[in-house]
């Protein structure tokens, strides 16, 4: 199990270039673009969401990953969640692989009960521009995400634009994460803490 610690910031689309310049200057190199396509699963009654669990398949340039995220906290843009991730051979969930790495019996019990009726509920498709930054003794992955959340509901497609920054602490003290956020916010006016993650936005589309 790992605990994901990251700060999410809503990024006004017209400030994306300024954020790009900030991270490029700090990292000393341009960001790397990674296209990501994600499928989120739940039961028709949203049993996973009710248990504050998110389950997704992600297509990356290197292959497919499945990720299970358990209940967490979000305040002031700072997100903390337990997560478990494994590679899979194709665009299909592999429950045994998740069970082998997940040490949260409550989350596994919910997942096993939901398994027979799991289906796709929504998708997120975006390009992630990535930088790895050494900052105040910490290693931080900075990302600009731009794309869309989409959900098919009653034969209609609903969508919501994605434009946000994620700062994930890979190693070191959380204080460095907050200090970097302060510098970024001073350099790029208009940023705001984002306490709603992409999965929550997808569920909101399903509920409208």
């Amino acid at each position: 199990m790992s605990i994901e610690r990251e700060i999410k910031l809503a990024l006004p689309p017209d400030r994306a270039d300024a954020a790009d310049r900030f991270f490029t200057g700090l990292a000393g190199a341009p960001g790397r673009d990674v296209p990501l396509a994600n499928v989120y699963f739940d039961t028709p009654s949203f049993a996973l969401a009710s248990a504050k669990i998110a389950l997704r398949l992600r297509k990356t340039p290197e292959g497919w990953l499945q990720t299970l995220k358990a209940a967490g906290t979000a305040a002031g843009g700072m997100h903390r969640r337990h997560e478990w991730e494994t590679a899979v051979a194709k665009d299909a969930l592999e429950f045994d692989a998740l069970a082998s790495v997940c040490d949260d019996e409550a989350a596994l019990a919910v997942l096993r009960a939901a398994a027979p009726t799991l289906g796709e509920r929504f998708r997120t498709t975006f390009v992630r521009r990535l930088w790895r930054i050494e900052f105040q003794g910490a290693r931080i992955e900075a990302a600009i995400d731009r794309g869309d959340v989409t959900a098919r509901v009653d034969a209609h497609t609903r969508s919501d634009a994605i434009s946000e920054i994620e700062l994930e602490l890979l190693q070191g003290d959380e204080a460095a994460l907050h200090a970097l956020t302060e510098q970024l916010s001073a350099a790029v006016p208009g940023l705001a803490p984002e306490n709603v993650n992409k999965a929550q936005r997808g569920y909101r589309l399903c509920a409208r």
Side-chain angles (χ1 to χ4, degrees):
M1 177 187 69
S2 65
I3 298 178
E4 181 184 53
R5 293 175 293 172
E6 64 183 13
I7 290 177
K8 294 179 184 288
L9 300 168
L11 173 65
D14 63 351
R15 301 293 185 179
D17 288 346
D20 190 302
R21 289 192 296 271
F22 175 85
F23 291 130
T24 296
L26 203 58
R32 175 173 61 95
D33 284 349
V34 181
L36 297 173
N38 306 276
V39 182
Y40 285 81
F41 296 85
D42 209 330
T43 67
S45 61
F46 301 111
L48 298 188
S50 296
K52 297 182 179 179
I53 291 172
L55 177 64
R56 76 174 183 222
L57 275 175
R58 165 171 285 179
K59 185 178 182 182
T60 76
E62 291 76 33
W64 289 91
L65 297 172
Q66 61 181 359
T67 304
L68 178 67
K69 296 191 179 189
T73 61
M78 181 71 183
H79 295 247
R80 297 179 181 87
R81 296 189 78 175
H82 292 167
E83 71 170 11
W84 301 266
E85 189 167 76
T86 66
V88 291
K90 56 183 180 179
D91 57 339
L93 296 168
E94 296 180 11
F95 294 105
D96 289 344
L98 274 179
S100 71
V101 298
C102 179
D103 56 359
D104 186 326
E105 289 301 324
L108 281 178
V110 172
L111 187 60
R112 291 191 182 103
T117 56
L118 285 176
E120 177 185 331
R121 300 303 159 209
F122 57 90
R123 294 182 175 232
T124 64
T125 306
F126 55 94
V127 174
R128 170 166 287 173
R129 181 162 291 179
L130 284 170
W131 294 263
R132 290 289 176 92
I133 294 170
E134 303 289 332
F135 186 80
Q136 295 187 359
R139 291 176 59 238
I140 297 171
E141 183 176 84
I144 295 176
D145 291 345
R146 302 188 73 184
D148 297 282
V149 185
T150 57
R152 189 75 174 165
V153 181
D154 298 330
H156 297 285
T157 299
R158 301 172 176 176
S159 65
D160 194 13
I162 295 170
S163 182
E164 64 185 34
I165 290 172
E166 291 188 0
L167 301 173
E168 182 175 359
L169 184 65
L170 304 178
Q171 183 179 340
D173 195 288
E174 278 187 18
L177 200 60
H178 291 286
L180 177 58
T181 302
E182 289 182 7
Q183 284 196 17
L184 171 64
S185 297
V188 185
L191 299 179
E194 177 59 89
N195 292 324
V196 179
N197 61 39
K198 296 180 183 70
Q200 291 168 321
R201 292 172 67 183
Y203 279 113
R204 288 182 178 182
L205 287 178
C206 293
R208 284 181 186 170

